[in-house]
Amino acid sequence: MSEILSLREHNLHKVRVGERTMMLHIPTNALYGIDEMTDTVLERVRAESLSADQLVQQLRGRFDEQDLRETVGELLTLDLLSDGRPKPAAKPVTTLGNLAINTVVLNVNTGCNLSCTYCYKEDLDTPDKGRRMSLETAQQSIELMLAESPNEKRFSVVFFGGEPLSNIKLIRTVVDYCEARFAQLGKQVDFVMTTNATLLTDEIVDWLDEHRFGLSISMDGPEAIHDRNRRTVGGKGTYRTVSEKARKLLARYNARPIGARVTLTHGTTEVERIWDHLFNELGFAEVGFAPVTSGDIDTFNLSVDELHEVFAGFKRLGERYLSEALQGRTTGFSNLHQLITDLHEGQRKALPCGAGLKMLAVDHEGGLNLCHRFTGSSLPTFGDVKTGIEKEALGEFLDQRLDRSGTGCETCRIRNFCAGGCYHESYARYQDPIHPTYHYCELMRDWVDFGIGVYSEIMAKNPSFIDRFISPRKVH
């Protein structure tokens, strides 16, 4: 073992958690606790050029020689150390070979009864001008999904808008069609909807409950914050209506936990106050935050300082999350909840999300969009529900995003968490959905480190929290 060792810095990241050192194996996103010997070996190789034999000679007074050699071997296998010998070529990541569309987003109406000032939807219309999806287009969307993914066992149909409940007649018909169709095939189907809640009635709530919809309510916090941007077409604030409807929904709905989705814009960084109102006062099961940094109207984008304050607030909320988790309780802070889920499941992303691989969004005319954010945008569609998916064009797009060479992403320690960032974020900020979201890089690296610390503490002190609150998130 005379070959000179070197540290594979881009494959290794260490995080100090209390008295312990955790190691993120970056190629696989696996998380390990490392002992003194392993840490010493890594740091000694980092500090000087030496062979494995020289390393063992230096350290065998402190550690067992056989243990040292085994540790070096394991680190070479994990590609955390290199002895200069060539490694087997990495298995290429496939794109369309893994195509299995199990989620379709139906843009059932471009019309919306609200006129939220920050809305990103480029095909949004006022209620009287809303363009509704036809039943034929919706059914063709379902059949396309089934035809493309015959081996999938579970599917999701997502209803989006505009305000989806403004086309409740179509939604009811599609649900009836899906339940009969999927039962006939021996497959499962879940229904999901994001709504502004203003059109909810007791009768609609009961129907949604009966069909076990996964619901997310768009709500930005207490009245003064919510009404800054979430207004009617006539310009009136909507908090009182939405909060009243949300309270009734939360009291009446039993099928699944209901989450709140918060949009953070310029002048709104009070994440703890917003979380407290939505989680503790209104009773949402989860609260998730979406910071706006790349909207079409610059006045709504968070400044650099505001974005840093938002993430500082996230970390303060995260400390509360940890404190409650160690007592066996959840705070429903879904941004951290998702990160903990990714860490626990060892999620490794070659692409930022399932858009184009597992999910496509259908606009009201039947066009196939990368995701719901792109309906009505300048990004070309990838076919339509009548003629099918333009797989060559979609494959070329995904291959471009998979190629991270020259971007800095290929050596970034969170490359398999982020995969370059949200397509639409890149599109909105850089006019290029392939472009990495550089404005988030340092904040996201710090956020992942924070999540590693929280997850490690939970696993060390109350692992039953994972079984109770993390593992069930994928069970509907």
Side-chain angles (χ1 to χ4, degrees):
M1 301 181 73
S2 59
E3 294 87 357
I4 298 299
L5 299 174
S6 61
L7 195 63
R8 301 278 285 171
E9 296 277 5
H10 66 285
N11 286 342
L12 162 71
H13 179 59
K14 294 193 297 183
V15 179
R16 191 71 177 169
V17 181
E19 298 300 315
R20 294 170 294 128
T21 300
M22 304 302 297
M23 180 182 71
L24 178 66
H25 183 242
I26 295 170
T28 62
N29 274 1
L31 195 60
Y32 302 92
I34 58 175
D35 57 22
E36 181 186 1
M37 179 175 62
T38 303
D39 200 21
T40 301
V41 167
L42 292 169
E43 291 307 312
R44 188 62 59 93
V45 174
R46 175 181 274 126
E48 58 181 303
S49 297
L50 71 174
S51 68
D53 289 335
Q54 291 170 325
L55 178 67
V56 170
Q57 182 70 25
Q58 286 185 14
L59 297 178
R60 66 182 181 181
R62 291 177 59 187
F63 307 106
D64 178 79
E65 181 174 341
Q66 184 61 31
D67 289 343
L68 281 168
R69 293 191 181 278
E70 289 179 359
T71 296
V72 171
E74 290 169 359
L75 294 174
L76 286 167
T77 299
L78 289 169
D79 203 21
L80 299 176
L81 293 181
S82 172
D83 58 10
R85 288 179 288 187
K87 298 286 182 184
K91 184 179 179 181
V93 178
T94 58
T95 54
L96 289 179
N98 291 334
L99 179 66
I101 301 298
N102 59 19
T103 300
V104 63
V105 183
L106 302 181
N107 196 57
V108 297
N109 191 2
T110 62
C112 186
N113 60 329
L114 300 191
S115 184
C116 303
T117 53
Y118 51 60
C119 186
Y120 60 81
K121 291 283 286 178
E122 297 184 47
D123 57 351
L124 193 70
D125 292 311
T126 55
D128 59 319
K129 295 181 180 179
R131 291 159 290 170
R132 296 172 182 253
M133 177 178 284
S134 69
L135 176 59
E136 180 185 17
T137 297
Q139 290 175 334
Q140 289 173 331
S141 303
I142 305 303
E143 294 303 326
L144 175 68
M145 178 171 63
L146 286 169
E148 288 292 340
S149 311
N151 297 321
E152 292 289 303
K153 300 297 183 185
R154 190 165 201 149
F155 295 82
S156 293
V157 177
V158 183
F159 298 100
F160 211 80
E163 169 48 43
L165 287 177
S166 63
N167 199 359
I168 185 64
K169 181 179 179 181
L170 175 67
I171 293 173
R172 287 178 182 271
T173 306
V174 170
V175 167
D176 289 341
Y177 177 82
C178 286
E179 289 181 337
R181 185 77 174 98
F182 284 85
Q184 178 187 42
L185 297 171
K187 298 178 184 293
Q188 293 180 288
V189 60
D190 293 307
F191 304 111
V192 179
M193 181 189 299
T194 298
T195 173
N196 62 35
T198 58
L199 301 179
L200 287 172
T201 64
D202 289 350
E203 189 270 335
I204 289 176
V205 169
D206 290 345
W207 181 83
L208 295 170
D209 195 28
E210 178 186 352
H211 296 280
R212 296 187 53 78
F213 268 68
L215 296 176
S216 181
I217 306 302
S218 298
M219 193 171 185
D220 286 352
E223 184 169 7
I225 295 175
H226 178 92
D227 282 351
R228 287 176 192 168
N229 298 306
R230 299 195 65 81
R231 304 170 186 165
T232 65
V233 175
K236 293 179 61 176
T238 61
Y239 173 84
R240 295 188 180 183
T241 298
V242 174
S243 60
E244 178 186 353
K245 301 276 189 176
R247 289 181 191 276
K248 289 184 178 180
L249 173 68
L250 291 164
R252 198 178 186 95
Y253 202 80
N254 299 306
R256 294 164 69 174
I258 299 172
R261 185 191 182 281
V262 178
T263 302
L264 298 173
T265 55
H266 177 60
T268 305
T269 60
E270 304 161 87
V271 294
E272 293 156 288
R273 178 186 171 198
I274 294 169
W275 166 83
D276 182 62
H277 179 70
L278 296 176
F279 183 78
N280 288 322
E281 296 178 17
L282 291 185
F284 283 100
E286 290 195 12
V287 179
F289 296 87
V292 173
T293 62
S294 306
D296 290 335
I297 305 175
D298 289 342
T299 53
F300 295 111
N301 293 337
L302 293 163
S303 68
V304 172
D305 288 344
E306 286 177 325
L307 190 58
H308 278 80
E309 175 53 31
V310 164
F311 273 84
F314 282 0
K315 291 171 76 171
R316 291 191 296 270
L317 265 184
E319 293 290 352
R320 191 177 310 194
Y321 180 103
L322 174 59
S323 177
E324 291 296 302
L326 296 182
Q327 300 299 316
R329 298 184 293 267
T330 178
T331 65
F333 176 29
S334 65
N335 298 69
L336 184 54
H337 226 42
Q338 186 59 55
L339 178 54
I340 298 297
T341 301
D342 291 344
L343 286 164
H344 184 66
E345 295 179 351
Q347 291 285 356
R348 179 184 180 276
K349 295 180 181 178
L351 292 165
C353 65
L357 280 175
K358 293 287 188 181
M359 179 267 288
L360 287 171
V362 184
D363 59 41
H364 70 283
E365 295 179 319
L368 298 173
N369 299 262
L370 193 63
C371 78
H372 58 282
R373 289 175 173 263
F374 284 102
T375 58
S377 75
S378 62
L379 188 73
T381 55
F382 296 99
D384 60 61
V385 295
K386 293 181 180 179
T387 61
I389 302 170
E390 293 180 358
K391 294 186 179 180
E392 184 176 350
L394 181 57
E396 289 176 358
F397 176 88
L398 296 175
D399 283 341
Q400 289 180 64
R401 190 56 184 259
L402 281 167
D403 181 8
R404 312 311 295 149
S405 57
T407 63
C409 297
E410 67 269 31
T411 57
C412 177
R413 69 175 186 257
I414 64 167
R415 58 185 179 268
N416 292 327
F417 286 97
C418 163
C422 170
Y423 296 118
H424 191 267
E425 184 82 16
S426 298
Y427 163 81
R429 189 176 184 94
Y430 304 105
Q431 293 74 56
D432 179 6
I434 304 301
H435 196 290
T437 52
Y438 289 131
H439 57 295
Y440 270 117
C441 291
E442 284 301 325
L443 287 167
M444 288 303 299
R445 282 190 279 264
D446 183 61
W447 177 240
V448 171
D449 281 2
F450 178 81
I452 288 172
V454 172
Y455 174 66
S456 301
E457 288 285 273
I458 292 172
M459 289 300 292
K461 297 176 181 178
N462 187 19
S464 64
F465 174 86
I466 301 296
D467 295 330
R468 184 176 178 189
F469 294 107
I470 298 297
S471 299
R473 296 185 86 220
K474 293 211 171 203
V475 179
H476 300 300

